[in-house]
Amino acid sequence: MISFLRGPLIALAALALLTPAFAEDAKPDFAIKTKSIEATVLLDGPIKADPALAADCLAEGKRWAEKARADADRERKQTPDMFRDGAWTVERKYDVRSLVKDRYVSIVRSDYISAGGAHPNADVDTILWDKTANKRISIRPFFTETADGGPTMTALRQAVVAALKTEKRKRDIPEVPGADWAKPIEPKLTKIGAVTLAPSTEPGNSSGLTFHYPPDAIGPHAEGDYVGFVPWDKLKPYLTPEGAAIFGGARPRGDED
């Protein structure tokens, strides 16, 4: 799970983030090992328990790994000296974050990439899966409108940026005059950030939305990843009946760690 990084632990936690995504004794659900690359894909247990969801995630993971292999093979032919210290290492992990109304599954997809650069890279994205329809969806059905720059997305962006400012203060990140770290966060469904339904103190409900940002997305690499939480009560004016039905309760205390 993507974690918050705190104060003096930022550098250490950032390093921990950029390590292989799964335990040594975990068996990958898909793997490639060549002279150019070691690529692995790992699915969380609850994902593997749902055949349709598992098939969807694994198919995506395989495509990602195969593309990485092709890139590594091409790079090895062009610049073999870059592989003197070993092959590229890439890992993708799918983790369930929440299950809401026994229907909506939020998944965090974490990538680790070590390709001979100055440091390994990490990326994060999210998936919202509708178990009833057996397909990926967006948060669009939960809101009355989601037009680019419209009332909903504008309000969401303001709330996300405010939450991230709080997170930066918690980490003692100083404000730099003229720096606009929030610029990449746009009031657009596809540009506001990777989103999940947050768990709740009320079983079966969601307490709001969490937005996930990898290292380098909204600050220097050393700051690591960020998660911004928007409580559901700030979403109320913009929710459809379907959206209103899935929210309730508060964010569990442990979810902030």
Side-chain angles (χ1 to χ4, degrees):
M1 189 63 64
I2 303 301
S3 60
F4 291 99
L5 310 182
R6 303 296 186 197
L9 296 178
I10 288 175
L12 180 60
L15 178 62
L17 176 69
L18 297 176
T19 55
F22 54 87
E24 292 181 1
D25 59 351
K27 183 179 179 181
D29 296 282
F30 179 73
I32 298 171
K33 187 172 183 178
T34 70
K35 291 181 179 180
S36 302
I37 195 169
E38 293 185 18
T40 50
V41 177
L42 189 73
L43 307 183
D44 198 6
I47 295 175
K48 289 189 279 190
D50 183 326
L53 177 56
D56 181 273
C57 292
L58 191 57
E60 178 189 67
K62 287 180 177 180
R63 290 192 299 270
W64 177 81
E66 293 287 1
K67 182 181 183 303
R69 174 168 63 177
D71 291 343
D73 288 344
R74 182 173 58 253
E75 189 67 30
R76 189 167 182 268
K77 289 180 180 179
Q78 295 175 350
T79 54
D81 287 350
M82 290 186 62
F83 292 79
R84 284 184 299 182
D85 295 329
W88 287 7
T89 300
V90 300
E91 299 174 353
R92 171 165 285 189
K93 189 179 182 198
Y94 294 82
D95 281 306
V96 170
R97 169 149 173 71
S98 67
L99 172 59
V100 175
K101 297 300 183 187
D102 199 32
R103 177 175 178 178
Y104 302 111
V105 186
S106 287
I107 297 167
V108 175
R109 191 189 75 195
S110 307
D111 293 347
Y112 164 88
I113 303 166
S114 179
H119 53 69
N121 291 312
D123 198 9
V124 62
D125 205 343
T126 58
I127 299 165
L128 183 58
W129 181 260
D130 184 340
K131 292 179 62 177
T132 300
N134 277 336
K135 67 177 184 179
R136 299 186 186 199
I137 63 170
S138 72
I139 59 172
R140 194 183 304 276
F142 306 140
F143 294 94
T144 54
E145 63 85 32
T146 54
D148 293 353
T152 300
M153 300 312 301
T154 298
L156 261 183
R157 183 190 184 276
Q158 291 173 347
V160 172
V161 171
L164 293 170
K165 284 182 178 179
T166 299
E167 285 304 311
K168 285 181 176 280
R169 285 195 294 269
K170 288 179 180 178
R171 302 185 194 185
D172 298 322
I173 304 297
E175 291 191 23
V176 179
D180 190 5
W181 55 262
K183 186 176 180 179
I185 305 172
E186 300 181 33
K188 302 177 181 178
L189 198 59
T190 58
K191 297 289 186 179
I192 197 167
V195 62
T196 58
L197 297 174
S200 173
T201 52
E202 291 184 0
N205 283 341
S206 171
S207 60
L209 300 177
T210 38
F211 293 83
H212 302 251
Y213 304 91
D216 295 312
I218 55 170
H221 187 85
E223 289 184 22
D225 63 305
Y226 278 93
V227 177
F229 171 68
V230 179
W232 71 275
D233 57 352
K234 291 188 177 181
L235 310 174
K236 276 184 178 180
Y238 313 100
L239 295 175
T240 60
E242 183 179 358
I246 69 171
F247 290 109
R251 189 184 191 189
R253 184 178 298 273
D255 192 59
E256 299 180 21
D257 297 332

